[in-house]
C-alpha cells in the first residue's frame, strides 16, 4: 500500500472523465488500496482516483470513521432541497467555498469482486458522494459555485502559492 500524491487544480487529469473498471482488472486492487490508505490521513473525507493520477472510476471515503470505496459509482439518488454548504477539496488545498448540495445522496456501484454495493447518507456523507462522483466525471466543485462566489474563488486560487 502506498499513500499517493494528490494532483492539484490545473492538472489535466482532474478535467478528464474516468473510464469504467472491468471486474478482474489487475490495476483495481492496487488502486483501491492506495485510495483507502490515502483517504485515511487526518482531515480527509473523500478521494477520487483521478486525484491520484489514475483515470479509472473509483473513489474512497472517510466520514466519521466510516471508511470505504466504490468502483464505478453512479449517483443513483439525491433527496431534499439543495442547500449552500461549505466545501473543500484536496486538489484545491487551503480553501472552502459554499456551494449547493443535496442533503441526502445514494451511490450505487461494485466492489473488487464485482458485487453490487450501495453507499448512502446525509450531511457530510451526502456531500462527499456528490463531490467524488463529480470528480470522476472530470468536474471540480469550484465549477459549480454561484457566479460571484466563483469569480472570487478563482481570484483567490490564482494567488495561492501552490497554483
Ligand atoms: Ni475533491
Amino acid at each position: 500500500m502506498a499513500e499517493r500524491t494528490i494532483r492539484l487544480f490545473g492538472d489535466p487529469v482532474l478535467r478528464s472523465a474516468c473510464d469504467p473498471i472491468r471486474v478482474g482488472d489487475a490495476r483495481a486492487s492496487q488502486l483501491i488500496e492506495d485510495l483507502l490508505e490515502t483517504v485515511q490521513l487526518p482531515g480527509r473525507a473523500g478521494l477520487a482516483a483521478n486525484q491520484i493520477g489514475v483515470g479509472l472510476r473509483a473513489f474512497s471515503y472517510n466520514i466519521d470513521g466510516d471508511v470505504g470505496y466504490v468502483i464505478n459509482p453512479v449517483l443513483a439518488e439525491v433527496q431534499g432541497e439543495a442547500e449552500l454548504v461549505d466545501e473543500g477539496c484536496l486538489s484545491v488545498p487551503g480553501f472552502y467555498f459554499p456551494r449547493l448540495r443535496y442533503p441526502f445522496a445514494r451511490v450505487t456501484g461494485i466492489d473488487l469482486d464485482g458485487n453490487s454495493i450501495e453507499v448512502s447518507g446525509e450531511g457530510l456523507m451526502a456531500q462527499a458522494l456528490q463531490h467524488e462522483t463529480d470528480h470522476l466525471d472530470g468536474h471540480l466543485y469550484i465549477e459549480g459555485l454561484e457566479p460571484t462566489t466563483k469569480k472570487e474563488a478563482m481570484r483567490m486560487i490564482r494567488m495561492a502559492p501552490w497554483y
Side-chain angles (χ1 to χ4, degrees):
M1 291 216 285
E3 177 204 337
R4 302 274 294 262
T5 304
I6 305 289
R7 303 298 184 94
L8 300 178
F9 174 59
D11 190 317
V13 75
L14 296 172
R15 299 187 64 96
S16 306
C18 296
D19 296 326
I21 298 176
R22 280 182 302 103
V23 175
D25 186 322
R27 300 168 294 179
S29 60
Q30 184 65 58
L31 170 62
I32 297 305
E33 279 189 23
D34 292 349
L35 283 173
L36 289 173
E37 176 149 322
T38 307
V39 84
Q40 289 184 75
L41 295 172
R44 298 186 169 181
L47 184 65
N50 47 350
Q51 288 185 280
I52 56 170
V54 179
L56 294 172
R57 289 190 81 83
F59 68 69
S60 57
Y61 57 89
N62 178 12
I63 305 290
D64 299 328
D66 183 5
V67 176
Y69 71 92
V70 183
I71 290 173
N72 298 342
V74 173
L75 187 62
E77 183 188 359
V78 291
Q79 276 183 27
E81 208 138 302
E83 300 164 350
L84 280 177
V85 285
D86 278 337
E87 191 153 318
C89 178
L90 297 172
S91 295
V92 192
F95 296 103
Y96 292 87
F97 299 106
R99 66 154 292 162
L100 289 170
R101 290 294 186 194
Y102 292 97
F104 173 88
R106 182 169 62 89
V107 158
T108 58
I110 57 172
D111 66 13
L112 278 169
D113 298 318
N115 302 309
S116 295
I117 55 171
E118 183 175 293
V119 182
S120 64
E122 300 177 332
L124 279 178
M125 179 63 92
Q127 190 175 6
L129 296 175
Q130 293 166 83
H131 180 111
E132 302 310 329
T133 49
D134 279 350
H135 266 302
L136 297 175
D137 289 330
H139 298 304
L140 289 171
Y141 84 99
I142 48 177
E143 294 172 41
L145 300 178
E146 291 181 336
T148 50
T149 309
K150 185 174 178 180
K151 197 174 167 191
E152 178 64 6
M154 289 310 304
R155 192 184 66 77
M156 291 168 71
I157 289 165
R158 283 194 201 96
M159 293 192 304
W162 54 262
Y163 184 71

